C-alpha cells in the first residue's frame, strides 16, 4: 500500500510566511501575501473625466454672456458629480482640479491666462476645489456603500438559497450536488466535495477534478482540519482551494474549489464568504448523518421492542398449548388402563384442539415474518369471491357449531382479480377473530358489494365491539383489544392488513349499530372482468 501513495516531495513543503510562521493565531494557514497592484481606475475613466470637464467648459462658454462668472461654478460642480458617480475617486479628483483650472483660464479676467487680476477669485478657486473634492469623495463613498449593500444582499440571498435547498434535501449525495452547484455558481468556480464515508472519496459531482496530487492535499486538509491549497501557505502548488467541512462532531468532508479566475479568493471577504458556505454545507451533511443514525436507532429500538413483545407473547401463548398437549398425551400413555373410552376420547380431542391452536400461532408468526421481509408475492387471478368464502368457512367448520354464519353476496357479483390463498387467509383470520369475541348462538354476517373501482367485503359480529381509539390500533402487531377475553398472539389482524395493502386495498374496523364490530376491506377492480360463464369456458 505504501508503494502506491503519491510522491509528496515538493508538495508538502509550506511556503514561508512573513514573520517566520505559516499559520495565524487560530491555527489556520495564512493567505499568501502576493504583491498585487492596487485597484485603480483605467485610463479610459480618466479620459472620460477630462471629456466631462471639456463639455462643462463648452456649456459655460455658451451661457457666459448671460451669467456672472461665479455662477458658472455650478456647471463644473455638476461635472464633478457626474465624474465621481461614473468613473471613481481618481477621475473625480482630476475633474475637480481641471474644473478649477478651466474656470480660471477661460472665465476669470484676464482671460486665457492663469493670472488673477482680482485676488478675491483666489477664495473662489479654493472654495470651488474643496467643494468639488468633497462632492467627489461623498459621491464615491455613497456609490461604494450602495455596491456593498448590493453585495451583502447578494450574499444573503445566495446563503438563503443554499440553506433552503439543503434543508429540503435528505439524501447525502443529492445534498452534496446541490451544495457544489450553489458554491460554484456564486464563486464562478468548479466545485466538488470529498465525503468521509468509507474513506475520503470525492462525490460523483465533478469527481474528475481530483487527481492523485489533489487527493493528497484533500487528505492533508482532512487530517489537519485546516485550510490549504491555492494562495495559502500550505500546499500552494495545488490547483484548488481546500476547506475542511467542520461540524459539531468533527470533520465530515472536504470542500474543493477550483476557481476559473485564480485570483478569485485573494480578497479576504471572498474567502470568509466561502467559509460561510462551507460551514452551512458541513452542518447539512452532519444533519443528514444524524438523521440516518436516528432512523437506524429507531429501527433498532423498534426491533428490540418487537422482540421483547414477541418473547413475552410467545412464552405464554405457545407454552400453554404445549403444556396441555403434554398433559393430555402423558395421561393417555401412563393411565390408559384407568381411563374410560370417553376419557381417552376427550383427552385426544383436547390434544388435537391445542395442537391446531399451536399450529395457528406458529403460522401467524411465520406469515408476519414473511410479510415484513417482503417474501410474500401476490399472484392475482380472476376468482369467484363465493368460492374463497366457502373455502375459509370449511377451514373453521369445526369451531362454528355454536355460531350461525350468514353469507350475503349478490347473484351477479363479478369476478375479481386477487391471490386466492392470501384472501382466503384474510377471511379465515377475520372469521376466527369474530368467533373469539362473539357470544354463543349469535350470528356472524359476511357480505360483499361491488362498486365501479373496487369491491367491499365485510365480516360483522355481535360481540362486545371496539373500545374508543382501538379502530386503528387493533391492526398493530401484538395488540389485543381485550386480552382477558381471548387467547392469541395478536398477529391475525396485522397479517390481514399486510395482505390487503399488498393487493392495493384498504382495511378498517368500526363498531356495528346495535352492538358488535364490523371489519371491512376493499380490493381494487382493474380491467374488464370476464363473466362467470366465460371463466368456466376457459
Amino acid at each position: 500500500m505504501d508503494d502506491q501513495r503519491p510522491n509528496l516531495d515538493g508538495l508538502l513543503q509550506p511556503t514561508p510566511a512573513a514573520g517566520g510562521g505559516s499559520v495565524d493565531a487560530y491555527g489556520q494557514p495564512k493567505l499568501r501575501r502576493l504583491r498585487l497592484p492596487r485597484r485603480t481606475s483605467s485610463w479610459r475613466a480618466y479620459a472620460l473625466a477630462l471629456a466631462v470637464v471639456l463639455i462643462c467648459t463648452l456649456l459655460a462658454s455658451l451661457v457666459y454672456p448671460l451669467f456672472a462668472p461665479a455662477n458658472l461654478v455650478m456647471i463644473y460642480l455638476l461635472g464633478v458629480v457626474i465624474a465621481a458617480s461614473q468613473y471613481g475617486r481618481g477621475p473625480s479628483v482630476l475633474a475637480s482640479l481641471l474644473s478649477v483650472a478651466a474656470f480660471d483660464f477661460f472665465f476669470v479676467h484676464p482671460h486665457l491666462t492663469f493670472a488673477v487680476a482680482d485676488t478675491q477669485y483666489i477664495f473662489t478657486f479654493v472654495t470651488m476645489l474643496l467643494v468639488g473634492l468633497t462632492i467627489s469623495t461623498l459621491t464615491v463613498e455613497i456609490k461604494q456603500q450602495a455596491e456593498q449593500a448590493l453585495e451583502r444582499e447578494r450574499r444573503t440571498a445566495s446563503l438563503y438559497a443554499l440553506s433552503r435547498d439543503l434543508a429540503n434535501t435528505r439524501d447525502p449525495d443529492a445534498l452534496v450536488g446541490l451544495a457544489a452547484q450553489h458554491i460554484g455558481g456564486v464563486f464562478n468556480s468548479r466545485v466538488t466535495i470529498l465525503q468521509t464515508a468509507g474513506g475520503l472519496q470525492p462525490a460523483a459531482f465533478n469527481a474528475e477534478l481530483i487527481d492523485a496530487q489533489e487527493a493528497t492535499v484533500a487528505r492533508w486538509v482532512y487530517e489537519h482540519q485546516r485550510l490549504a491549497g491555492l494562495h495559502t501557505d500550505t500546499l500552494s502548488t495545488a490547483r484548488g482551494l481546500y476547506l475542511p467541512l467542520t461540524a459539531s462532531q468533527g470533520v465530515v468532508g472536504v470542500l474543493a474549489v477550483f476557481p476559473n479566475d485564480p485570483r478569485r479568493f485573494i480578497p479576504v471577504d471572498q474567502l470568509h464568504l466561502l467559509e460561510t458556505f462551507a460551514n452551512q454545507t458541513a452542518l447539512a451533511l452532519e444533519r443528514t448523518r444524524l438523521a440516518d443514525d436516528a432512523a437506524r436507532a429507531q429501527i433498532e429500538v423498534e426491533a428490540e421492542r418487537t422482540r421483547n413483545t414477541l418473547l413475552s407473547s410467545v412464552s405464554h401463548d405457545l407454552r400453554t398449548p404445549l403444556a396441555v398437549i403434554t398433559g393430555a398425551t402423558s395421561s393417555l400413555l401412563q393411565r390408559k388402563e384407568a381411563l374410560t373410552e370417553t376419557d381417552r376420547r376427550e383427552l385426544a380431542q383436547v390434544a388435537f384442539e391445542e395442537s391446531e391452536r399451536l399450529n395457528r400461532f406458529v403460522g401467524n408468526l411465520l406469515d408476519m415474518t414473511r410479510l415484513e421481509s417482503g417474501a410474500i408475492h401476490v399472484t392475482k387471478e380472476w376468482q369467484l369471491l363465493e368460492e374463497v368464502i366457502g373455502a375459509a368457512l370449511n377451514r373453521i367448520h369445526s369451531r362454528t357449531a355454536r355460531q350461525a354464519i350468514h353469507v350475503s353476496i349478490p347473484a351477479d357479483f363479478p369476478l375479481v382479480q386477487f391471490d386466492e390463498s392470501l384472501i382466503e387467509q384474510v377471511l379465515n383470520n377475520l372469521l376466527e377473530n369474530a368467533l373469539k369475541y362473539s357470544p354463543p348462538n349469535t350470528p356472524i354476517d359476511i357480505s360483499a358489494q361491488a362498486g365501479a373501482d373496487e369491491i367491499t367485503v365485510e365480516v360483522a359480529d355481535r360481540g362486545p365491539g371496539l373500545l374508543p381509539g382501538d379502530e386503528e390500533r387493533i391492526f398493530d402487531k401484538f395488540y389485543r383489544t381485550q386480552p382477558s377475553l381471548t387467547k392469541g398472539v395478536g398477529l391475525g389482524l396485522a397479517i390481514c392488513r399486510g395482505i390487503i395493502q399488498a393487493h392495493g386495498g384498504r382495511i378498517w374496523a368500526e363498531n356495528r349499530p346495535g352492538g358488535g364490530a364490523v371489519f371491512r376491506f376493499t380490493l381494487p377492480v382493474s380491467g374488464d372482468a370476464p363473466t362467470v360463464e366465460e371463466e368456466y369456458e376457459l
Side-chain angles (χ1 to χ4, degrees), residues 59-72 75 107:
L59 292 175
S61 64
L62 294 175
V63 299
Y64 177 67
L66 303 176
F67 295 98
N71 294 328
L72 302 180
I75 298 177
F107 302 108

Side-chain angles (χ1 to χ4, degrees), residues 280-327:
Q280 291 290 329
T281 304
L283 292 175
L285 283 173
E286 184 181 53
R287 172 178 52 79
T288 59
R289 295 188 180 183
L290 291 176
D292 291 341
D293 293 341
R296 284 193 294 269
Q298 182 63 32
I299 292 174
E300 293 176 358
V301 169
E302 185 64 27
E304 184 64 26
R305 183 184 297 114
T306 301
R307 281 194 295 268
N308 293 337
T309 306
L310 177 62
L311 289 175
S312 62
S313 299
V314 169
S315 62
H316 176 268
D317 293 314
L318 296 186
R319 189 163 49 215
T320 301
L322 284 174
V324 174
I325 294 171
T326 302

Side-chain angles (χ1 to χ4, degrees), residues 2 4 46 96 125 178 235 301 329 380 427 429 460 490 504 508:
D2 293 337
Q4 299 177 0
Y46 286 97
S96 299
F125 297 153
L178 281 173
L235 309 177
V301 169
T329 54
K380 294 184 178 181
L427 291 168
N429 288 355
W508 69 97

Side-chain angles (χ1 to χ4, degrees), residues 441-458:
N441 303 319
T442 57
I444 295 175
D445 298 318
I446 303 174
S447 61
Q449 298 86 34
D453 300 323
E454 62 184 16
I455 66 164
T456 304
V457 181
E458 66 177 44

Side-chain angles (χ1 to χ4, degrees), residues 245-264:
L245 297 177
T246 307
S248 60
Q249 296 184 355
V251 179
V252 297
V254 175
L255 175 65
V257 183
F258 296 80
N260 295 328
D261 179 7
R263 300 157 57 94
R264 173 78 191 199

Side-chain angles (χ1 to χ4, degrees), residues 127-272:
T127 303
M128 180 180 176
L129 179 61
L130 292 177
V131 171
L133 293 176
T134 301
I135 291 175
S136 65
T137 300
L138 293 177
T139 303
V140 170
E141 289 181 354
I142 292 173
K143 182 180 179 181
Q144 290 177 347
Q145 291 175 0
E147 291 176 350
Q148 292 172 359
L150 290 175
E151 180 64 22
R152 285 193 296 269
E153 182 180 356
R154 285 193 293 268
R155 291 183 182 183
T156 302
S158 59
L159 283 172
Y160 170 75
L162 175 66
S163 301
R164 179 193 59 205
D165 290 346
L166 295 184
N168 295 330
T169 306
R170 296 293 180 267
D171 180 60
D173 294 333
L175 187 147
V176 166
L178 281 173
Q181 288 178 347
H182 276 280
I183 296 173
V186 172
F187 295 99
N188 190 25
S189 306
R190 300 183 67 192
V191 178
T192 189
I193 294 176
L194 295 91
Q195 301 183 78
T196 58
L200 193 63
Q201 298 294 331
F205 192 85
N206 288 337
E208 70 279 0
L209 297 173
I210 306 299
D211 54 20
Q213 180 174 343
E214 300 297 318
T216 302
V217 182
R219 187 167 58 251
W220 188 94
V221 170
Y222 173 71
E223 294 173 353
H224 294 80
Q225 303 183 20
R226 289 174 16 197
L227 180 75
L230 185 67
H231 294 320
T232 69
D233 286 335
T234 305
L235 309 177
S236 58
T237 58
R239 293 184 293 109
L241 179 63
Y242 293 82
L243 293 85
L245 297 177
T246 307
S248 60
Q249 296 184 355
V251 179
V252 297
V254 175
L255 175 65
V257 183
F258 296 80
N260 295 328
D261 179 7
R263 300 157 57 94
R264 173 78 191 199
F265 296 107
I266 292 177
V268 177
D269 60 332
Q270 291 294 304
L271 181 62
H272 290 169

Side-chain angles (χ1 to χ4, degrees), residues 432-445:
E432 286 188 348
N433 184 76
L435 290 171
K436 287 179 186 178
Y437 292 96
S438 296
N441 303 319
T442 57
I444 295 175
D445 298 318

